[in-house]
Amino acid sequence: MSVDEILAEASELLDKARKLPKDLRIVFEYFYKNVSVGDLRALKELERLGVRDPQEKIDALIEMGLLERGHDCYNLAPPLREYIFRRGR
């Protein structure tokens, strides 16, 4: 996949993220700022941010393609990580 294709996909994902309801947007923004977070830490920190049922919200964002599950962690989707790397936040 070319850089242009990755950035186009990232743009589509960011458009999708802009339309998220507030509770999901909080979770997305947390991962946008942190990119990759251990699963237990993410759940605890999201609860501290006032997110109810953070696991449910994370799972929804995974289904939408905005996040991915790693080994004992959650990551921002690869095109979004590439976008951050190339363009900044």
Coordinates of all heavy atoms in Angstrom, one line a residue:
M1 N 0.8 -1.2 0.0 CA 0.0 0.0 0.0 C 0.9 1.2 0.0 O 1.8 1.3 0.8 CB -0.9 0.0 1.2 CG -2.0 1.0 1.2 SD -3.1 1.0 2.7 CE -4.3 -0.2 2.1
S2 N 0.6 2.2 -0.9 CA 1.4 3.4 -1.0 C 1.1 4.4 0.2 O 0.1 4.3 0.8 CB 1.2 4.1 -2.3 OG -0.1 4.7 -2.3
V3 N 2.0 5.3 0.4 CA 1.8 6.3 1.4 C 0.6 7.1 1.1 O -0.2 7.4 2.1 CB 3.1 7.2 1.5 CG1 2.8 8.4 2.4 CG2 4.3 6.5 1.9
D4 N 0.3 7.4 -0.1 CA -0.9 8.2 -0.4 C -2.2 7.4 -0.1 O -3.1 8.0 0.4 CB -0.9 8.5 -1.9 CG 0.1 9.6 -2.3 OD1 0.5 10.4 -1.3 OD2 0.5 9.7 -3.4
E5 N -2.1 6.1 -0.3 CA -3.3 5.2 0.0 C -3.5 5.2 1.5 O -4.6 5.2 2.0 CB -3.1 3.8 -0.6 CG -3.2 3.8 -2.1 CD -2.8 2.4 -2.6 OE1 -1.9 1.8 -2.1 OE2 -3.4 2.1 -3.7
I6 N -2.4 5.0 2.3 CA -2.5 5.0 3.7 C -3.0 6.3 4.3 O -3.9 6.3 5.1 CB -1.1 4.7 4.3 CG1 -0.7 3.3 4.0 CG2 -1.1 4.9 5.8 CD1 0.8 2.9 4.3
L7 N -2.5 7.4 3.7 CA -3.0 8.7 4.2 C -4.5 9.0 3.8 O -5.2 9.6 4.6 CB -2.1 9.8 3.7 CG -0.7 9.8 4.3 CD1 0.1 10.9 3.7 CD2 -0.7 9.8 5.8
A8 N -4.9 8.5 2.7 CA -6.3 8.6 2.3 C -7.2 7.8 3.2 O -8.3 8.2 3.6 CB -6.5 8.1 0.8
E9 N -6.7 6.6 3.6 CA -7.5 5.7 4.5 C -7.5 6.4 5.9 O -8.6 6.4 6.6 CB -6.8 4.3 4.6 CG -7.7 3.4 5.5 CD -7.1 2.0 5.5 OE1 -6.3 1.6 4.6 OE2 -7.6 1.2 6.4
A10 N -6.4 7.0 6.3 CA -6.4 7.7 7.6 C -7.4 8.9 7.6 O -8.1 9.1 8.6 CB -5.0 8.2 7.9
S11 N -7.5 9.6 6.5 CA -8.4 10.7 6.3 C -9.9 10.2 6.5 O -10.7 10.8 7.2 CB -8.2 11.4 5.0 OG -9.1 12.4 4.8
E12 N -10.2 9.1 5.9 CA -11.5 8.5 6.0 C -11.8 8.1 7.5 O -12.9 8.3 8.0 CB -11.6 7.2 5.1 CG -11.7 7.5 3.6 CD -11.7 6.3 2.8 OE1 -12.2 5.2 3.3 OE2 -11.3 6.3 1.6
L13 N -10.8 7.5 8.1 CA -11.0 7.1 9.5 C -11.2 8.4 10.4 O -12.0 8.4 11.3 CB -9.8 6.3 10.0 CG -9.7 4.9 9.4 CD1 -8.4 4.2 9.8 CD2 -10.9 4.0 9.8
L14 N -10.4 9.4 10.1 CA -10.6 10.7 10.9 C -12.0 11.3 10.7 O -12.6 11.8 11.6 CB -9.5 11.7 10.6 CG -8.1 11.3 11.1 CD1 -7.0 12.2 10.5 CD2 -8.1 11.3 12.6
D15 N -12.5 11.2 9.5 CA -13.8 11.7 9.2 C -14.9 10.9 10.0 O -15.8 11.4 10.6 CB -14.2 11.6 7.7 CG -13.5 12.6 6.9 OD1 -13.0 13.6 7.4 OD2 -13.4 12.4 5.6
K16 N -14.6 9.6 10.1 CA -15.5 8.7 10.9 C -15.4 9.1 12.4 O -16.4 9.1 13.0 CB -15.1 7.2 10.7 CG -16.0 6.2 11.3 CD -15.5 4.8 11.2 CE -15.5 4.3 9.8 NZ -15.2 2.8 9.7
A17 N -14.2 9.3 12.8 CA -14.0 9.7 14.2 C -14.7 11.0 14.6 O -15.2 11.2 15.7 CB -12.5 9.8 14.5
R18 N -14.7 12.0 13.7 CA -15.4 13.3 13.9 C -16.9 13.1 14.1 O -17.5 14.0 14.8 CB -15.1 14.2 12.7 CG -13.7 14.7 12.7 CD -13.5 15.8 11.6 NE -12.1 16.0 11.4 CZ -11.4 15.5 10.5 NH1 -11.9 14.6 9.6 NH2 -10.1 15.8 10.4
K19 N -17.4 12.0 13.6 CA -18.9 11.8 13.7 C -19.3 11.0 14.9 O -20.5 10.7 15.1 CB -19.4 11.2 12.4 CG -19.2 12.1 11.2 CD -19.6 11.4 10.0 CE -19.2 12.3 8.8 NZ -19.3 11.5 7.5
L20 N -18.3 10.6 15.7 CA -18.6 9.7 16.9 C -19.4 10.4 17.9 O -19.2 11.6 18.1 CB -17.3 9.2 17.5 CG -16.4 8.3 16.7 CD1 -15.0 8.1 17.4 CD2 -17.1 6.9 16.6
P21 N -20.2 9.7 18.6 CA -20.9 10.3 19.8 C -19.9 10.6 20.9 O -18.8 10.1 20.9 CB -21.9 9.2 20.3 CG -21.5 8.0 19.5 CD -20.6 8.3 18.4
K22 N -20.2 11.5 21.8 CA -19.3 12.0 22.7 C -18.5 11.0 23.5 O -17.3 11.0 23.7 CB -20.0 13.0 23.7 CG -19.1 13.6 24.7 CD -19.8 14.5 25.7 CE -18.8 15.1 26.7 NZ -19.5 15.9 27.6
D23 N -19.2 9.9 24.0 CA -18.6 8.9 24.8 C -17.5 8.1 24.0 O -16.4 7.9 24.5 CB -19.6 8.0 25.4 CG -20.5 7.3 24.4 OD1 -20.6 7.7 23.3 OD2 -21.1 6.2 24.8
L24 N -17.8 7.9 22.8 CA -16.8 7.2 21.9 C -15.7 8.1 21.5 O -14.5 7.7 21.4 CB -17.4 6.5 20.7 CG -18.4 5.3 20.9 CD1 -19.0 4.9 19.7 CD2 -17.6 4.2 21.6
R25 N -16.0 9.4 21.3 CA -15.0 10.4 20.9 C -13.9 10.5 22.0 O -12.8 10.7 21.7 CB -15.6 11.7 20.6 CG -14.7 12.6 19.8 CD -15.3 13.9 19.3 NE -16.8 13.8 19.1 CZ -17.6 14.5 19.8 NH1 -17.2 15.4 20.7 NH2 -18.9 14.4 19.6
I26 N -14.4 10.5 23.3 CA -13.4 10.6 24.4 C -12.4 9.5 24.3 O -11.2 9.7 24.5 CB -14.2 10.6 25.7 CG1 -15.0 11.9 25.9 CG2 -13.2 10.4 26.9 CD1 -16.0 11.9 27.0
V27 N -12.9 8.3 24.1 CA -12.0 7.1 24.0 C -11.1 7.2 22.8 O -9.9 7.0 22.9 CB -12.9 5.8 24.0 CG1 -12.0 4.6 23.8 CG2 -13.7 5.7 25.2
F28 N -11.7 7.6 21.7 CA -10.8 7.7 20.5 C -9.7 8.8 20.7 O -8.6 8.6 20.4 CB -11.7 8.1 19.3 CG -10.8 8.4 18.1 CD1 -10.3 7.4 17.3 CD2 -10.5 9.7 17.7 CE1 -9.4 7.6 16.2 CE2 -9.7 10.0 16.6 CZ -9.2 8.9 15.9
E29 N -10.1 9.9 21.3 CA -9.1 11.0 21.5 C -8.0 10.5 22.5 O -6.9 10.9 22.4 CB -9.8 12.2 22.0 CG -10.6 12.9 20.9 CD -11.5 14.1 21.4 OE1 -11.5 14.3 22.7 OE2 -12.1 14.7 20.6
Y30 N -8.4 9.7 23.5 CA -7.4 9.1 24.4 C -6.4 8.3 23.6 O -5.2 8.5 23.8 CB -8.1 8.3 25.4 CG -7.2 7.4 26.3 CD1 -6.6 8.0 27.4 CD2 -7.0 6.1 26.0 CE1 -5.7 7.2 28.2 CE2 -6.2 5.3 26.7 CZ -5.5 5.9 27.8 OH -4.7 5.1 28.6
F31 N -6.8 7.5 22.7 CA -5.9 6.7 22.0 C -5.1 7.5 20.9 O -4.0 7.2 20.6 CB -6.6 5.5 21.3 CG -6.8 4.4 22.3 CD1 -8.0 4.2 22.9 CD2 -5.8 3.5 22.7 CE1 -8.3 3.2 23.8 CE2 -6.0 2.5 23.6 CZ -7.2 2.4 24.2
Y32 N -5.8 8.5 20.4 CA -5.1 9.4 19.4 C -3.9 10.1 20.1 O -2.8 10.2 19.5 CB -6.1 10.4 18.9 CG -5.5 11.2 17.7 CD1 -5.5 10.7 16.4 CD2 -4.9 12.5 17.9 CE1 -5.0 11.4 15.3 CE2 -4.4 13.2 16.8 CZ -4.5 12.6 15.5 OH -4.0 13.3 14.4
K33 N -4.1 10.5 21.4 CA -3.0 11.1 22.1 C -1.9 10.1 22.6 O -0.8 10.4 22.7 CB -3.6 11.8 23.4 CG -4.4 13.0 23.0 CD -5.0 13.6 24.3 CE -5.9 14.8 23.9 NZ -6.7 15.2 25.1
N34 N -2.4 8.9 22.9 CA -1.5 7.9 23.4 C -1.0 6.8 22.5 O -0.1 6.0 22.8 CB -2.1 7.2 24.7 CG -2.3 8.2 25.8 OD1 -1.4 8.7 26.4 ND2 -3.5 8.6 26.0
V35 N -1.7 6.6 21.4 CA -1.4 5.7 20.2 C -1.4 4.2 20.6 O -2.1 3.4 20.0 CB 0.0 6.0 19.6 CG1 0.2 5.1 18.4 CG2 0.0 7.5 19.1
S36 N -0.7 3.8 21.7 CA -0.7 2.4 22.1 C -0.6 2.4 23.6 O 0.3 3.0 24.2 CB 0.6 1.7 21.5 OG 0.6 0.3 21.9
V37 N -1.5 1.6 24.2 CA -1.7 1.6 25.7 C -1.9 0.1 26.1 O -2.8 -0.5 25.5 CB -2.8 2.5 26.2 CG1 -2.8 2.5 27.7 CG2 -2.7 3.9 25.6
G38 N -1.3 -0.3 27.2 CA -1.6 -1.6 27.7 C -3.1 -1.7 28.1 O -3.7 -0.7 28.5
D39 N -3.6 -2.9 27.9 CA -5.1 -3.1 28.0 C -5.6 -2.7 29.4 O -6.6 -2.0 29.6 CB -5.6 -4.4 27.6 CG -4.8 -5.6 28.3 OD1 -4.0 -5.4 29.1 OD2 -5.1 -6.7 27.8
L40 N -4.9 -3.1 30.5 CA -5.4 -2.8 31.8 C -5.2 -1.3 32.1 O -6.1 -0.7 32.7 CB -4.6 -3.7 32.9 CG -4.8 -5.2 32.7 CD1 -3.9 -5.9 33.8 CD2 -6.3 -5.5 32.9
R41 N -4.1 -0.8 31.7 CA -3.9 0.7 32.0 C -5.0 1.5 31.2 O -5.5 2.5 31.8 CB -2.5 1.1 31.5 CG -2.2 2.5 31.7 CD -0.9 2.9 31.3 NE -0.5 4.2 31.9 CZ 0.6 4.5 32.4 NH1 1.6 3.6 32.4 NH2 0.8 5.7 32.9
A42 N -5.3 1.1 30.0 CA -6.3 1.9 29.2 C -7.6 1.9 29.9 O -8.3 2.9 30.1 CB -6.4 1.3 27.8
L43 N -8.0 0.7 30.4 CA -9.3 0.6 31.1 C -9.4 1.5 32.3 O -10.3 2.2 32.5 CB -9.6 -0.9 31.4 CG -9.9 -1.8 30.2 CD1 -10.0 -3.2 30.7 CD2 -11.1 -1.4 29.4
K44 N -8.3 1.4 33.1 CA -8.3 2.2 34.3 C -8.2 3.7 34.0 O -9.0 4.5 34.7 CB -7.0 1.8 35.2 CG -7.1 0.5 35.8 CD -5.9 0.2 36.6 CE -6.0 -1.2 37.2 NZ -4.8 -1.6 38.0
E45 N -7.4 4.1 33.1 CA -7.4 5.5 32.8 C -8.7 6.1 32.2 O -9.1 7.2 32.5 CB -6.2 5.8 31.9 CG -4.9 5.7 32.6 CD -3.6 6.0 31.8 OE1 -3.7 6.2 30.6 OE2 -2.5 6.1 32.4
L46 N -9.3 5.3 31.3 CA -10.6 5.7 30.7 C -11.6 5.8 31.8 O -12.5 6.7 31.8 CB -11.0 4.8 29.6 CG -10.2 4.9 28.4 CD1 -10.4 3.7 27.4 CD2 -10.4 6.2 27.7
E47 N -11.6 4.9 32.8 CA -12.6 5.0 33.9 C -12.3 6.3 34.7 O -13.3 7.0 35.1 CB -12.5 3.8 34.8 CG -13.1 2.5 34.2 CD -12.9 1.3 35.1 OE1 -12.1 1.3 36.0 OE2 -13.5 0.3 34.8
R48 N -11.1 6.6 34.9 CA -10.7 7.9 35.6 C -11.2 9.1 34.8 O -11.5 10.1 35.4 CB -9.2 8.0 35.8 CG -8.8 7.2 37.0 CD -7.4 7.5 37.4 NE -6.7 6.3 37.8 CZ -5.7 5.8 37.3 NH1 -5.0 6.4 36.4 NH2 -5.2 4.6 37.7
L49 N -11.3 9.0 33.5 CA -11.8 10.1 32.6 C -13.3 10.1 32.6 O -13.9 11.0 32.0 CB -11.3 9.9 31.2 CG -9.8 10.1 31.0 CD1 -9.4 9.8 29.6 CD2 -9.4 11.6 31.3
G50 N -13.9 9.2 33.3 CA -15.4 9.2 33.4 C -16.1 8.4 32.4 O -17.3 8.5 32.2
V51 N -15.4 7.5 31.7 CA -16.0 6.7 30.6 C -16.6 5.5 31.3 O -15.9 4.7 32.0 CB -14.9 6.2 29.6 CG1 -15.5 5.2 28.6 CG2 -14.3 7.4 28.9
R52 N -17.9 5.3 31.1 CA -18.6 4.1 31.6 C -18.4 3.0 30.6 O -18.4 3.2 29.4 CB -20.1 4.4 31.7 CG -20.4 5.3 32.9 CD -21.8 5.3 33.1 NE -22.1 5.8 34.4 CZ -23.3 6.2 34.8 NH1 -24.3 6.2 34.0 NH2 -23.4 6.6 36.0
D53 N -18.2 1.8 31.1 CA -18.0 0.6 30.3 C -16.9 0.8 29.2 O -17.2 0.7 28.0 CB -19.3 0.2 29.6 CG -20.4 -0.1 30.6 OD1 -20.1 -0.8 31.6 OD2 -21.5 0.3 30.4
P54 N -15.7 1.1 29.6 CA -14.6 1.4 28.6 C -14.4 0.2 27.7 O -14.1 0.5 26.5 CB -13.4 1.8 29.5 CG -13.7 1.3 30.8 CD -15.2 1.2 31.0
Q55 N -14.5 -1.0 28.2 CA -14.2 -2.1 27.3 C -15.2 -2.2 26.2 O -14.9 -2.4 25.0 CB -14.3 -3.4 28.1 CG -13.9 -4.7 27.3 CD -12.5 -4.6 26.9 OE1 -11.6 -4.6 27.7 NE2 -12.2 -4.6 25.6
E56 N -16.5 -1.9 26.5 CA -17.5 -1.8 25.4 C -17.2 -0.8 24.4 O -17.3 -1.0 23.2 CB -18.8 -1.5 26.1 CG -20.0 -1.4 25.1 CD -21.3 -1.1 25.9 OE1 -21.6 -1.9 26.8 OE2 -21.9 -0.1 25.6
K57 N -16.7 0.4 24.8 CA -16.4 1.5 23.9 C -15.2 1.1 23.1 O -15.1 1.4 21.9 CB -16.1 2.8 24.7 CG -17.1 3.2 25.7 CD -18.4 3.6 25.1 CE -19.4 4.2 26.1 NZ -20.0 3.4 27.1
I58 N -14.2 0.5 23.7 CA -13.0 0.1 22.9 C -13.4 -0.9 21.9 O -12.9 -0.8 20.7 CB -11.9 -0.5 23.9 CG1 -11.3 0.7 24.7 CG2 -10.8 -1.2 23.1 CD1 -10.4 0.2 25.9
D59 N -14.2 -1.9 22.3 CA -14.6 -2.9 21.3 C -15.4 -2.3 20.1 O -15.2 -2.7 19.0 CB -15.5 -3.9 22.0 CG -14.7 -4.8 23.0 OD1 -13.5 -4.9 22.9 OD2 -15.4 -5.5 23.8
A60 N -16.2 -1.3 20.4 CA -16.9 -0.6 19.3 C -15.9 0.1 18.4 O -16.1 0.0 17.1 CB -17.9 0.4 19.9
L61 N -14.9 0.7 18.9 CA -13.9 1.4 18.1 C -13.1 0.4 17.3 O -12.7 0.7 16.1 CB -13.0 2.3 18.9 CG -13.8 3.5 19.5 CD1 -12.8 4.3 20.4 CD2 -14.4 4.4 18.5
I62 N -12.9 -0.7 17.8 CA -12.2 -1.8 17.1 C -13.0 -2.2 15.9 O -12.6 -2.4 14.8 CB -11.8 -3.0 18.0 CG1 -10.7 -2.6 19.0 CG2 -11.4 -4.2 17.2 CD1 -10.4 -3.6 20.1
E63 N -14.3 -2.4 16.1 CA -15.3 -2.8 15.1 C -15.3 -1.8 14.0 O -15.5 -2.2 12.8 CB -16.7 -3.1 15.7 CG -16.8 -4.3 16.5 CD -16.7 -5.6 15.6 OE1 -17.3 -5.6 14.5 OE2 -16.1 -6.5 16.1
M64 N -15.2 -0.5 14.3 CA -15.2 0.5 13.3 C -13.9 0.7 12.6 O -13.8 1.5 11.6 CB -15.5 1.9 14.0 CG -16.9 2.0 14.6 SD -17.1 3.5 15.4 CE -18.5 3.2 16.4
G65 N -12.9 0.0 13.0 CA -11.6 0.1 12.4 C -10.7 1.2 12.9 O -9.6 1.5 12.3
L66 N -11.1 1.9 14.0 CA -10.3 3.0 14.5 C -9.2 2.6 15.4 O -8.2 3.3 15.6 CB -11.3 4.0 15.2 CG -12.3 4.7 14.3 CD1 -13.3 5.4 15.1 CD2 -11.6 5.6 13.3
L67 N -9.4 1.4 16.1 CA -8.4 0.8 17.0 C -8.2 -0.6 16.6 O -9.0 -1.2 15.8 CB -8.9 0.9 18.4 CG -9.3 2.2 19.1 CD1 -9.8 1.9 20.5 CD2 -8.1 3.1 19.1
E68 N -7.1 -1.1 17.1 CA -6.8 -2.6 16.9 C -6.3 -3.1 18.3 O -5.8 -2.4 19.1 CB -5.8 -2.8 15.8 CG -4.4 -2.3 16.2 CD -3.4 -2.6 15.1 OE1 -3.8 -3.2 14.0 OE2 -2.2 -2.4 15.3
R69 N -6.5 -4.4 18.4 CA -6.1 -5.1 19.6 C -4.7 -5.7 19.3 O -4.5 -6.4 18.3 CB -7.0 -6.2 20.1 CG -6.5 -6.9 21.3 CD -7.7 -7.3 22.2 NE -7.4 -8.1 23.3 CZ -6.8 -7.6 24.4 NH1 -6.6 -6.3 24.5 NH2 -6.5 -8.3 25.5
G70 N -3.7 -5.4 20.2 CA -2.4 -5.9 20.1 C -2.2 -7.0 21.1 O -3.2 -7.5 21.7
H71 N -1.0 -7.3 21.4 CA -0.7 -8.3 22.5 C -0.7 -7.6 23.8 O 0.2 -6.8 24.1 CB 0.6 -9.0 22.2 CG 1.0 -10.1 23.2 ND1 0.2 -11.2 23.4 CD2 2.0 -10.1 24.1 CE1 0.7 -11.9 24.3 NE2 1.8 -11.3 24.8
D72 N -1.8 -7.8 24.6 CA -2.0 -7.1 25.9 C -2.0 -5.6 25.8 O -1.7 -4.9 26.7 CB -1.0 -7.6 26.9 CG -1.0 -9.0 27.2 OD1 -2.1 -9.6 27.2 OD2 0.0 -9.6 27.5
C73 N -2.5 -5.1 24.6 CA -2.6 -3.7 24.5 C -3.6 -3.3 23.4 O -4.1 -4.2 22.7 CB -1.2 -3.1 24.1 SG -0.6 -3.6 22.4
Y74 N -3.9 -2.0 23.3 CA -4.8 -1.5 22.3 C -4.0 -0.5 21.5 O -3.2 0.3 22.1 CB -6.0 -0.9 22.8 CG -6.9 -1.9 23.5 CD1 -7.0 -1.9 24.9 CD2 -7.6 -2.9 22.9 CE1 -7.8 -2.8 25.6 CE2 -8.4 -3.8 23.5 CZ -8.5 -3.7 24.9 OH -9.3 -4.6 25.6
N75 N -4.1 -0.4 20.2 CA -3.4 0.5 19.4 C -4.3 1.3 18.5 O -5.4 0.8 18.1 CB -2.4 -0.2 18.5 CG -1.5 -1.2 19.2 OD1 -0.8 -0.8 20.1 ND2 -1.6 -2.4 18.8
L76 N -3.9 2.5 18.2 CA -4.6 3.3 17.2 C -4.4 2.5 15.9 O -3.4 1.9 15.6 CB -4.0 4.6 17.1 CG -4.7 5.8 16.4 CD1 -6.1 6.0 17.1 CD2 -3.9 7.0 16.5
A77 N -5.4 2.5 15.0 CA -5.3 1.8 13.7 C -4.1 2.2 12.9 O -3.6 3.4 13.0 CB -6.6 2.1 12.9
P78 N -3.4 1.3 12.2 CA -2.2 1.5 11.5 C -2.2 2.8 10.6 O -1.2 3.5 10.6 CB -1.9 0.3 10.7 CG -2.6 -0.8 11.5 CD -3.8 -0.2 12.1
P79 N -3.3 3.0 9.8 CA -3.2 4.2 9.0 C -3.2 5.5 9.8 O -2.5 6.5 9.4 CB -4.5 4.1 8.2 CG -4.9 2.7 8.2 CD -4.4 2.2 9.5
L80 N -3.8 5.5 10.9 CA -3.8 6.7 11.8 C -2.4 6.9 12.5 O -2.0 8.0 12.6 CB -4.9 6.6 12.9 CG -6.3 6.6 12.3 CD1 -7.3 6.3 13.4 CD2 -6.6 7.9 11.7
R81 N -1.8 5.8 12.8 CA -0.4 5.9 13.3 C 0.5 6.4 12.3 O 1.4 7.3 12.6 CB 0.1 4.5 13.8 CG -0.7 4.0 15.0 CD 0.0 2.8 15.7 NE 0.4 1.7 14.8 CZ -0.2 0.6 14.6 NH1 -1.3 0.3 15.2 NH2 0.3 -0.3 13.8
E82 N 0.4 6.0 11.0 CA 1.2 6.5 9.9 C 0.9 8.0 9.7 O 1.8 8.8 9.5 CB 0.9 5.7 8.7 CG 1.8 6.1 7.5 CD 3.2 5.7 7.6 OE1 3.5 4.8 8.4 OE2 4.0 6.3 7.0
Y83 N -0.3 8.4 9.8 CA -0.7 9.8 9.7 C 0.0 10.6 10.7 O 0.6 11.7 10.4 CB -2.2 9.9 9.8 CG -2.7 11.3 9.8 CD1 -2.9 12.1 8.6 CD2 -3.0 11.9 11.0 CE1 -3.3 13.4 8.6 CE2 -3.4 13.3 11.0 CZ -3.6 14.0 9.9 OH -4.0 15.3 9.9
I84 N -0.1 10.2 12.0 CA 0.6 10.9 13.0 C 2.1 11.0 12.8 O 2.7 12.1 13.0 CB 0.3 10.2 14.4 CG1 -1.2 10.5 14.8 CG2 1.2 10.8 15.5 CD1 -1.7 9.7 16.0
F85 N 2.6 9.9 12.4 CA 4.1 9.9 12.1 C 4.5 10.9 11.0 O 5.4 11.6 11.1 CB 4.5 8.5 11.7 CG 5.9 8.4 11.3 CD1 7.0 8.5 12.2 CD2 6.3 8.2 10.0 CE1 8.3 8.4 11.8 CE2 7.6 8.1 9.6 CZ 8.6 8.2 10.5
R86 N 3.7 10.9 10.0 CA 4.0 11.7 8.8 C 3.6 13.2 8.9 O 4.2 14.1 8.4 CB 3.4 11.1 7.5 CG 4.1 9.8 7.2 CD 3.7 9.4 5.8 NE 4.4 8.2 5.5 CZ 5.7 8.1 5.0 NH1 6.3 9.2 4.8 NH2 6.2 7.0 4.8
R87 N 2.4 13.4 9.6 CA 1.8 14.8 9.6 C 1.8 15.4 10.9 O 1.5 16.6 11.0 CB 0.4 14.7 9.0 CG 0.3 14.1 7.6 CD 0.2 15.2 6.7 NE 0.2 14.7 5.3 CZ -0.6 14.9 4.4 NH1 -1.7 15.7 4.6 NH2 -0.5 14.5 3.2
G88 N 2.0 14.7 12.0 CA 1.8 15.2 13.3 C 0.4 15.1 13.7 O -0.5 14.7 13.0
R89 N 0.1 15.5 15.0 CA -1.2 15.4 15.5 C -2.1 16.5 15.1 O -3.2 16.7 15.2 CB -1.2 15.3 17.0 CG -0.5 14.1 17.5 CD -0.3 14.0 19.0 NE 0.6 13.0 19.3 CZ 0.3 11.8 19.6 NH1 -0.9 11.4 19.7 NH2 1.2 10.9 19.9

